Amino acid sequence: MRSKLPDAASSRKMAASSAVVAILASIWLCSSIAADASGSSSETTMHTNNWAVLVCTSRFWFNYRHMANTLSLYRTVKRLGIPDERIILMLADDMACNSRNKYPAQVFNNENHWLNLYGDNVEVDYRGYEVTVENFLRVLTGRHESAVPRSKRLLSDEGSHILLYMTGHGGDEFLKFQDSEELQSHDLADAVKQMKEKHRFKELLIMVDTCQAATLFNQLHSPGVLAIASSMKGENSYSHHLDSDVGVSVVDRFTFYTLAFFERLNMYDNASLSRLFNSYDPNLLMSNAYYRTDLYQPNLQEVPVTNFFGSVMETVHTDSAYRAFPQKNTPRETRIRTGNTAEDDSRRSILTDMTKAECPFTRIVSSLESKMETVGNLDSLVNYGLVMILPVLVVSVWLST
Amino acid sequence: MPTANTEEENSKSELQKNHGGGGGFTRWAVVAVIFRLALIYFPGNLNLSSRPEVSTPLTSIRRLAEGYWLKQSSMSPYAGSMYHGSPLLLSVLGPLTVKRIEGQPSHILCSLVFVLADLISSILIRATGRKLQIAYRKSLKSLNLLNKSTDSGALSSGDIAALVYLWNPFTIVACVGLSTSPVENLFTILTLYGAATGLAPLAAFGWVMATHLSLYPAILIIPVNLSYSGSWFYPPAPLSPEYTYAPPSKLFRSKEHGKVGDGKSSQEIIFSWRRVFHLLVWTSLWSVYVLVLCSISVKQHGSLQEMFQRTYGFILTVEDLSPNIGVLWYFFAEVFDFFRDFFLIVFHSNILFMILPLAIRLKHRPCFLAFVYIAISSMLKSYPSVGDSALYLGLLGLFLDELADMQFSFFLFCGYVGVSLLSPVMHNLWIWRGTGNANFYYATAMAYACFQIVLVVESVSSMLNHDRKLTKLSTSKLQK
């Protein structure tokens, strides 16, 4: 015969314990839901870094000017902030140390010899016979052999702005590499399409200085690509002037006027791309500079040239220490601007505050959590909890007998 | 109830007769502890903790040390996919892996913890065995089948089982080889002890901790529930818990039809849903406590979801395919990705679909049902090791009375010895010498699985034969 008294006591205990269980379970559930809600974020790519791929495709001494073009762009891009790690410089021949160079180890782009482009800190990534169509396409698409070092790879990500400058001899829908092979417009378009698929760029500016350069863009279809060429179909691009001391033409017209535009700028200027594109005078160029914007969303008047030709980054100042994993509730971070236009704010993402907790349970839990953060060591709390298991177990066993 | 008291006194006196046996157990237990300590202090390098049979991705102490180091470096302990265990175990054992004492072998404190866990497990097995034996004798007496010849001799089955557990080479290797299996086995045995003695908080705590450490003891909720809230054979004295065995109900019906009752009230199988609810309440209380502790522990550098993904998700998705004595790694190394999820479901339901038929057939023997579940899950789990086998081999000793007529016992014994000797040899041939390949090692793993299957099948069939014999004997006695 079982007595009734333990049953009543045990049923009361069971009711109390089940109430406690219900409350604890609901608190935990609410906190997990709140944590999930505050943790979700939207995915917009931010402009993260700038890359430049500068390609000179011509060999031989009489193509000195192509080398000088590329080295001039290299200098400009470095001056405006892109570091060597993010520049891939491909020079098909060595003019600076060519035996026909009267000024050894010096490359000029003007007959006044005012500026030596081949200074102390020129890093050439692909030189001489390494500049082939295959290597160029491998650089663009990132499909290298495993032994290729990182300095020869275009390690861009989905937030990169890439400047692709090519110069040499070209024609109707092709560009000549090394006098032995050619890059065709559909090859270039295919490589750009692969890059877009693999999220290797956010925006791409292709600048080509060859004869009939605009035909090279005929097959481009990928969004986010802006292209400018020195001449249209049927037109030649001409060199600017002959340096009678060096003995060859030292610069091309298109590049000369591009450099003239950039020499007036420094890192903090916000001259827009439309100003650059409008600065080309067909009479001076002796060809029509053509640019293609149908694949490019933003308004050219609002895009500063430093988006492609320089590397002007926004600095974010954080007060908290660097953590290995991002926390769900980060405090508001302050930003230091480097003098860019206010329109750029719309394209940058802003970190949000901690979302306000709606459910009263989650408010309790969040206050508990904040109190716990003031507690010195969470590990000691866990250890207390573990040690408490034993007396709780003993008490519960004693109660249930 | 005079008869009940005399019954209690009789069984207690019988167990007192085993007082010499109690002393014998203590002696052998002490020698076993000394033996383990001797192996720990052994100057040569047994290299046990790097053998795949002993340490799996879930139980390896090196991974635990790595997880603790990551935690101390302000990173989540699950970063880098080294540690896949519980954060509570990390808080307990982690500091011990770092503490070094001059002149002692490395990880000496962890080894002592594991030796202690083994010792407590054996004491709990012994206590469970005693409860089982008391219930068994009571049931035999009430069916008037008990005679002096069923006195088992110097050691009771609980003592034998505890000593088998302590002296099993698998257990010793798992303890000395610094795997965390002794701790997991301790909690599983604690569950069974709590179920056998009817202490719901203890059983719930053991079940929650065992499931938390390794996922598979979750299926033990069924035998624990059956044991705690199920069949009473004998009307117990106020709140005295001996409900670990009851013969099938048809025995009772025949008894009622048979001769006049001798004053004892024979009861049918009663399954009390109230007690199920009671046990579930305690289970949920303990699981909330453990989950709160875990969430506090992982709060800084991760989340509870990450913990579940890296512990239970790792076990269920079989991410690590390094060789072990199980049968999953070889298969999942060659299955196509397209079919991987399908085969994961197949392999896991291999354990799950056996739960229900066994529960239906063996519901009158919850402890044996627990043993069969443990054996099946030790065989078919994602990362088995010898520590898991040690557990069910120890529990096998609890049922020696009923399994005395088991067939193929010698064959199985030789098989186990042979596999445990051949498996390291094949591993050496494959990995170190390069003269073998994975098939050599997997052959021993398959043979091991076959032996385990034969063991499970034979033990279940001999247990059912034993029950049939009991039924036949008691009905023949009734008809007399």
Side-chain angles (χ1 to χ4, degrees), chain B residues 171-194:
Chain B
T171 332
I172 296 178
V173 156
C175 175
V176 172
L178 293 172
S179 86
T180 58
S181 319
V183 177
E184 295 172 7
N185 294 351
L186 168 66
F187 285 114
T188 314
I189 293 169
L190 188 68
T191 314
L192 295 178
Y193 174 71

Side-chain angles (χ1 to χ4, degrees), chain B residues 353-369:
Chain B
F353 80 76
M354 285 199 236
I355 292 181
L356 191 60
L358 282 170
I360 293 173
R361 193 66 184 86
L362 290 171
K363 63 180 183 296
H364 58 288
R365 283 191 180 274
C367 266
F368 186 71
L369 181 65

Side-chain angles (χ1 to χ4, degrees), chain A residues 29-70:
Chain A
L29 209 60
C30 277
S31 72
S32 63
I33 292 171
D36 277 332
S38 63
S40 64
S41 60
S42 60
E43 296 270 313
T44 51
T45 48
M46 205 172 81
H47 169 205
T48 48
N49 49 32
N50 281 14
W51 283 80
V53 180
L54 309 170
V55 186
C56 164
T57 58
S58 305
R59 292 205 136 247
F60 309 128
W61 172 246
F62 49 83
N63 291 321
Y64 183 101
R65 61 188 185 285
H66 298 142
M67 184 77 55
N69 289 346
T70 317

Side-chain angles (χ1 to χ4, degrees), chain A residues 7 10 14 17 21 24 28 324 327 373 378-379 381-383 385-386 388-389 392-393 396-397 400-401, chain B residues 71 75 88 91-92 199 201-202 205 274 277-278 281-282 284-286 288-289 293 296-297 299-301 304:
Chain A
D7 280 348
S10 64
M14 274 200 293
S17 49
V21 165
L24 284 174
W28 185 63
Q327 283 207 301
E373 264 158 32
L378 284 179
D379 287 331
L381 199 65
V382 173
N383 290 340
L386 287 171
M388 283 296 294
I389 284 181
V392 170
L393 192 63
S396 56
V397 164
S400 64
T401 48
Chain B
K71 194 166 154 190
M75 282 195 268
L88 302 181
S91 310
V92 171
L199 298 169
L202 202 63
F205 173 66
R274 255 186 76 246
F277 180 67
H278 191 203
V281 160
W282 277 109
S284 45
L285 277 177
W286 281 116
V288 163
Y289 189 83
L293 275 186
I296 298 175
S297 177
K299 204 180 84 70
Q300 294 167 310
H301 308 296
L304 210 59

Side-chain angles (χ1 to χ4, degrees), chain B residues 99-397:
Chain B
K99 223 172 174 32
R100 275 181 214 290
I101 305 177
E102 278 293 317
Q104 309 278 347
S106 62
H107 297 308
I108 180 69
L109 290 171
C110 289
S111 315
L112 290 178
V113 167
F114 294 139
V115 170
L116 188 65
D118 268 350
L119 191 61
I120 298 177
S121 308
S122 65
I123 294 172
L124 287 174
I125 292 182
R126 183 165 178 244
T128 314
R130 285 164 80 114
K131 288 275 182 293
L132 279 179
Q133 202 164 36
I134 292 173
Y136 182 56
R137 281 173 194 285
K138 277 216 188 102
S139 68
L140 285 184
K141 263 216 184 92
S142 77
L143 295 172
N144 298 323
L145 290 172
L146 188 65
N147 48 4
K148 286 299 170 200
S149 64
T150 58
D151 200 353
S152 59
L155 288 171
S156 66
S157 65
D159 288 354
I160 295 178
L163 287 178
V164 163
Y165 182 77
L166 269 185
W167 280 97
N168 193 352
F170 288 169
T171 332
I172 296 178
V173 156
C175 175
V176 172
L178 293 172
S179 86
T180 58
S181 319
V183 177
E184 295 172 7
N185 294 351
L186 168 66
F187 285 114
T188 314
I189 293 169
L190 188 68
T191 314
L192 295 178
Y193 174 71
T197 52
L199 298 169
L202 202 63
F205 173 66
W207 182 81
V208 163
M209 286 306 295
T211 310
H212 176 65
L213 289 178
S214 65
L215 179 59
Y216 291 91
I219 57 178
L220 290 179
I221 190 70
I222 294 173
V224 165
N225 260 322
L226 284 173
S227 170
Y228 181 69
S229 39
S231 38
W232 274 249
F233 168 66
Y234 203 80
L239 295 179
S240 94
E242 271 103 12
Y243 23 75
T244 48
Y245 167 69
S249 54
K250 50 182 188 267
L251 207 51
F252 288 111
R253 276 183 240 125
S254 61
K255 215 176 155 192
E256 281 165 17
H257 286 161
K259 65 177 200 177
V260 188
D262 44 0
K264 280 195 279 244
S265 55
S266 55
Q267 293 188 350
E268 295 260 330
I269 307 270
I270 305 167
F271 192 73
S272 161
W273 288 104
R274 255 186 76 246
R275 294 186 75 98
V276 171
F277 180 67
H278 191 203
L279 187 67
L280 286 180
V281 160
W282 277 109
T283 315
S284 45
L285 277 177
W286 281 116
S287 51
V288 163
Y289 189 83
V290 164
L291 280 176
V292 163
L293 275 186
C294 285
S295 60
I296 298 175
S297 177
V298 300
K299 204 180 84 70
Q300 294 167 310
H301 308 296
S303 64
L304 210 59
Q305 190 219 354
E306 189 205 8
M307 183 195 93
F308 280 126
Q309 197 186 347
R310 293 302 185 113
T311 53
Y312 290 175
F314 178 76
I315 294 174
L316 289 175
T317 55
V318 192
E319 282 172 13
D320 188 303
L321 295 176
S322 46
N324 48 51
I325 55 171
V327 293
L328 269 79
W329 57 275
Y330 189 88
F331 188 81
F332 280 102
E334 59 185 14
V335 74
F336 288 118
D337 271 344
F338 184 73
F339 296 105
R340 194 187 159 87
D341 291 334
F342 168 68
F343 279 111
L344 276 175
I345 296 175
V346 166
F347 270 84
H348 288 303
S349 55
N350 213 356
I351 303 178
L352 290 176
F353 80 76
M354 285 199 236
I355 292 181
L356 191 60
L358 282 170
I360 293 173
R361 193 66 184 86
L362 290 171
K363 63 180 183 296
H364 58 288
R365 283 191 180 274
C367 266
F368 186 71
L369 181 65
F371 159 74
V372 176
Y373 280 171
I374 291 171
I376 291 175
S377 66
S378 301
M379 180 168 57
L380 296 172
K381 69 195 304 194
S382 333
Y383 307 100
S385 69
V386 291
D388 305 314
S389 314
L391 177 62
Y392 73 77
L393 285 174
L395 291 178
L396 183 66

Side-chain angles (χ1 to χ4, degrees), chain A residues 19 23 69 82 84 96 115 117 132 166 233 242 283 329 346 361 371 387:
Chain A
I23 289 175
N69 289 346
I82 303 186
D84 271 316
L115 187 60
L117 298 170
T132 57
M166 293 194 284
K233 183 177 159 89
L242 171 72
N283 296 326
N329 303 319
S346 56
F361 281 135
K371 220 179 293 179
V387 166

